[in-house]
Amino acid sequence: MTEIDRRGAIGIVGLGLAAAAAGAPASAQTPPLSPAFAGNHKPVPLAFDPAKLTGLSEKLIRSHYDNNYIGSVRTLNMIETRLATSLADKDFPPVVYGGLKREELHRTGSVILHELYFGALGGDGAAAGEVQKAIAASFGSFANWDAEFRRTAMSLAGGSGWCVLAWNFHTSSLHNYWAWDHMHQPVASVPLIALDMYEHAYHMDYGSAAAKYVDAFMANLNWEEIDRRFRRVADARAS
C-alpha cells in the first residue's frame, strides 16, 4: 500500500466510525477490518522534502518525525501486543489493564494526529477548494476562521495539545477544537487539520515564540490534501 493509499484508508476508516456514531450508514468502500490488537503499525513516510519548508527547519521536522511520531508508532505496537497477550489472562488486574488502555488511547491519538499533521504539510498555504468555501460559510468568513484557529492554537502555547479543525457528524458543522494530550477530540468528529502545539513541534526553531511557529505552519499547509479530506467527509454525509 502506498503512502497516499494508506492515508486515504485511515481517513475512510475514521469517516466510517464517525458516520456510525452519528447514525449514518458506513461507506461501502470501508476496507477489511484488522485485528483489534495487531501491533503492526508502520510509519507513514513524509510526502514532502523537509528541507524545503518555509520557516520550519529540516532538523526540526526530522526530529519531530523520527523521535515523537515514530516513537508513538513503536509504543502503540508494544501496547497492542501487551493487550493481546493479556486477553488469555483471566486474572489480569483491572487497575493494570486500565493503565494499558489509557496508554492505548494516548498513543493511538498521537499516531493519527501526527499523520494528519505531517500529511497536510508541503504546500504553499494558499487555501482553495470546497473546504475553503465551507469554512467561510461556517465562520462568516475565511479570515474569521483563520483568526479563531490561531487563537485556539495559542491558548495551548507553552502547554501540550493540539488545535484541530474537524467536521462534527453529530452537529453537522465545522469546529476548531482544543485537544489536550492526544485524546480529547470530540466523539463523532473527523479531523481535517491538526496543528501540534507541543513544544517539541517548534522549540528547536522558535523557542517560546509559538505564534511564529503557527505562522510557519499555516504558510506550509497543503490545501489540496485538506480539501481531499473534506470531500471524503462530504461523500460520507451523502451516503
Side-chain angles (χ1 to χ4, degrees):
M1 181 180 290
T2 68
E3 182 269 338
I4 292 175
D5 289 339
R6 181 170 176 241
R7 234 191 288 155
I10 290 171
I12 291 168
V13 171
L15 291 173
L17 292 174
S27 169
Q29 299 179 47
T30 301
L33 295 176
S34 299
F37 305 130
N40 60 0
H41 301 280
K42 301 290 192 296
V44 175
L46 293 174
F48 58 89
D49 184 345
K52 294 183 178 180
L53 296 184
T54 301
L56 298 173
S57 69
E58 180 178 8
K59 182 178 180 181
L60 171 68
I61 293 297
R62 292 205 179 277
S63 174
H64 191 178
Y65 179 88
D66 293 340
N67 296 311
N68 301 101
Y69 166 55
I70 292 183
S72 281
V73 172
R74 290 171 177 164
T75 303
L76 178 59
N77 287 336
M78 178 184 67
I79 293 297
E80 287 189 355
T81 300
R82 187 71 184 91
L83 287 168
T85 59
S86 71
L87 290 176
D89 185 356
K90 62 182 179 62
D91 297 320
F92 198 88
V95 66
V96 178
Y97 199 76
L100 288 173
K101 293 300 289 184
R102 184 192 183 284
E103 192 64 22
E104 176 195 26
L105 181 60
H106 176 86
R107 295 298 176 171
T108 298
S110 178
V111 168
I112 293 172
L113 287 166
H114 276 103
E115 290 180 1
L116 289 164
Y117 174 83
F118 289 117
L121 291 176
D124 61 6
E130 293 303 313
V131 67
Q132 181 189 28
K133 298 175 185 176
I135 288 172
S138 296
F139 288 83
S141 71
F142 187 84
N144 285 347
W145 166 79
D146 183 82
E148 210 269 336
F149 186 84
R150 291 169 186 267
R151 180 177 296 172
T152 303
M154 289 304 297
S155 73
L156 287 157
S160 53
W162 295 78
C163 177
V164 181
L165 170 65
W167 175 264
N168 188 315
F169 270 93
H170 187 70
T171 61
S172 295
S173 56
L174 287 166
H175 290 273
N176 293 323
Y177 286 119
W178 181 98
W180 186 263
D181 206 24
H182 305 305
M183 54 187 184
H184 290 127
Q185 179 74 17
V187 172
S189 63
V190 178
L192 303 176
I193 301 174
L195 169 53
D196 191 343
M197 289 304 297
Y198 281 79
E199 287 193 340
H200 66 241
Y202 61 89
H203 195 271
M204 190 180 294
D205 281 358
Y206 292 106
S208 60
K212 292 181 179 180
Y213 158 68
V214 174
D215 289 343
F217 173 80
M218 300 298 282
N220 287 283
L221 281 177
N222 180 352
W223 281 91
E224 289 185 4
E225 169 59 22
I226 296 164
D227 194 54
R228 280 192 289 270
R229 295 173 184 177
F230 179 73
R231 283 187 276 109
R232 286 198 293 268
V233 167
D235 290 345
R237 292 174 63 204
S239 65

